[in-house]
Amino acid sequence: MTIYLVNIFLILLWGFGLVYYHPTPKKKMYFCAIASLQWTLISGLRHISVGADTVGYVPAFVSVGKRSWKTVFTAFVDVYFHGRKPENAGENALYKDPGYLVFQKIVHIFTDNPQVYLLIVAVIIFAALAYFIYKNSEDPVFSYVLFSILFYGFFAVTGIRQALATALVVFVGYEFIKENKFWKFAIVALIAYTLHKSVLVFILFYWISKIKVSWKYIAALAAVLLVGFAGGPSFILQIAELFGYTRDDVYEANTVAYTTVIAIIGLGFVFLFKWIQKQGSYKNAEINAILLAVVLTFFTLIDQTMMRVQQYYALFLMLGIPSALCCFQKRERLFLKSIAYMAMLAYLISNHPQYRFFWQS
């Protein structure tokens, strides 16, 4: 856990020097670059035992090097032009999101070393994160600390396929959503879809983001939540099947702590959104995404795999919370940030995450 605490300490240190003290756009850019570099090193130099999926991704990368380009392209064509699906777990490497197969094969042109591969993946993800935070966050220091508490577990040390897809469709694609550049967003989303088809749930945000948040809209989201809980596992499985994830049963896990954190934050936005509108720092798309994240996070209490869906929207907490804090007076803002930082650190410490570098036994 020490490396995570040191990382947060350094983020705060650089933040005070580059962001909070006489801030300029250039200093903000430098800060985002440094903070993302730190996370790139932590993610890229991790031991194979760090992260639930790393132990599976590393041998998968090695095995791709033994496949021919013909096999890779044939799998891609079979899936997206002939509708082929994996018939068993052994075929997942070829016929489940074959865009990731192509990506791995491209990396093999430059290196066969799986540790270098993890580093390349980290560079892509955290360069995109730096762009996302630099372009959109009112307080990049808070955004990076929040990432380091709530989201690092999936985007830095566990998921690779979906993390790469998210880097494209959220961190890069959000700019095209803001600028109403549908075709550019569609191209980015299409590429991301070949890496992880869960991207489909975020494509809808191009239109949803433009719905004005109101009490009627919040009531509609609450109704969806109630219907979902009334339907239980069968409702979740029907939605999963709609997006191409056919399963016989839901996956249960303890997500109460995470759900509670997201719910408290979401309820804060529900009660404050009108006030935020009046303060002039209101960003409809961000609040919209956060409200969607709250609804989807509650569904993780039924099916743990909904975490893969809610993550696309929950990431907007990194933007929405700093925007909301800007509505307060300087003294109040400092107090609230201090409380938030202490609460986040307590949350991280209570989870006691483990970390090892690849050279450690």
Side-chain angles (χ1 to χ4, degrees), residues 81-262:
F81 292 91
H82 302 139
R84 179 162 181 172
K85 296 180 180 180
E87 296 179 0
N88 52 62
E91 290 189 345
N92 281 343
L94 278 176
Y95 303 116
K96 183 180 180 181
D97 303 320
Y100 179 62
L101 187 67
V102 174
F103 171 75
Q104 292 177 97
K105 193 64 179 174
I106 291 173
V107 174
H108 270 288
I109 295 174
F110 306 99
T111 180
D112 294 324
N113 187 316
Q115 199 65 53
V116 176
Y117 173 66
L118 292 179
L119 193 59
I120 290 172
V121 169
V123 168
I124 294 171
I125 293 170
F126 289 104
L129 177 64
Y131 177 75
F132 181 67
I133 291 177
Y134 172 74
K135 295 286 288 186
N136 299 290
S137 179
E138 300 288 346
D139 185 346
V141 182
F142 192 97
S143 297
Y144 270 102
V145 172
L146 185 64
F147 172 87
S148 303
I149 303 294
L150 286 184
F151 304 117
Y152 81 93
F154 184 80
F155 291 95
V157 298
T158 301
I160 290 182
R161 285 190 305 122
Q162 189 174 0
L164 286 167
T166 302
L168 283 173
V169 78
V170 178
F171 297 158
V172 177
Y174 182 50
E175 285 302 304
F176 299 135
I177 291 177
K178 291 192 305 179
E179 298 169 2
N180 292 315
K181 296 180 178 179
F182 173 75
W183 289 112
K184 289 186 177 181
F185 174 73
I187 292 170
V188 168
L190 184 62
I191 296 171
Y193 173 76
T194 69
L195 297 170
H196 205 283
K197 60 186 175 184
S198 64
V199 161
L200 285 172
V201 302
F202 189 76
I203 292 175
L204 299 174
F205 192 60
Y206 183 86
W207 296 278
I208 295 175
S209 66
K210 296 166 177 56
I211 299 175
K212 186 176 181 180
V213 176
S214 64
W215 288 115
K216 289 183 179 180
Y217 179 65
I218 291 173
L221 291 178
V224 170
L225 183 60
L226 291 174
V227 169
F229 267 88
S234 62
F235 175 81
I236 299 297
L237 291 174
Q238 288 175 16
I239 297 299
E241 186 172 355
L242 181 65
F243 287 98
Y245 289 91
T246 302
R247 291 187 283 126
D248 296 324
D249 200 1
V250 296
Y251 300 106
E252 297 181 359
N254 186 4
T255 61
V256 174
Y258 180 84
T259 302
T260 301
V261 171
I262 299 298

Side-chain angles (χ1 to χ4, degrees), residues 289-310:
I290 291 169
L291 294 177
L292 289 170
V294 173
V295 172
L296 294 169
T297 302
F298 271 110
F299 288 144
T300 66
L301 298 174
I302 302 174
D303 185 352
Q304 189 269 339
T305 57
M306 289 297 290
M307 288 290 288
R308 291 186 174 275
V309 177
Q310 68 88 36

Side-chain angles (χ1 to χ4, degrees), residues 27-78:
K27 289 168 72 175
K28 179 182 179 181
M29 180 180 67
Y30 290 155
F31 168 78
C32 291
I34 293 171
S36 273
L37 175 60
Q38 288 180 193
W39 265 117
T40 297
L41 294 175
I42 293 172
S43 179
L45 301 180
R46 70 185 185 273
H47 191 274
I48 191 174
S49 64
V50 178
D53 295 340
T54 310
V55 68
Y57 276 116
V58 167
F61 171 74
V62 174
S63 68
V64 170
K66 302 173 184 177
R67 299 184 187 274
S68 67
W69 275 103
K70 181 180 179 181
T71 300
V72 170
F73 282 126
T74 299
F76 191 91
V77 172
D78 284 347

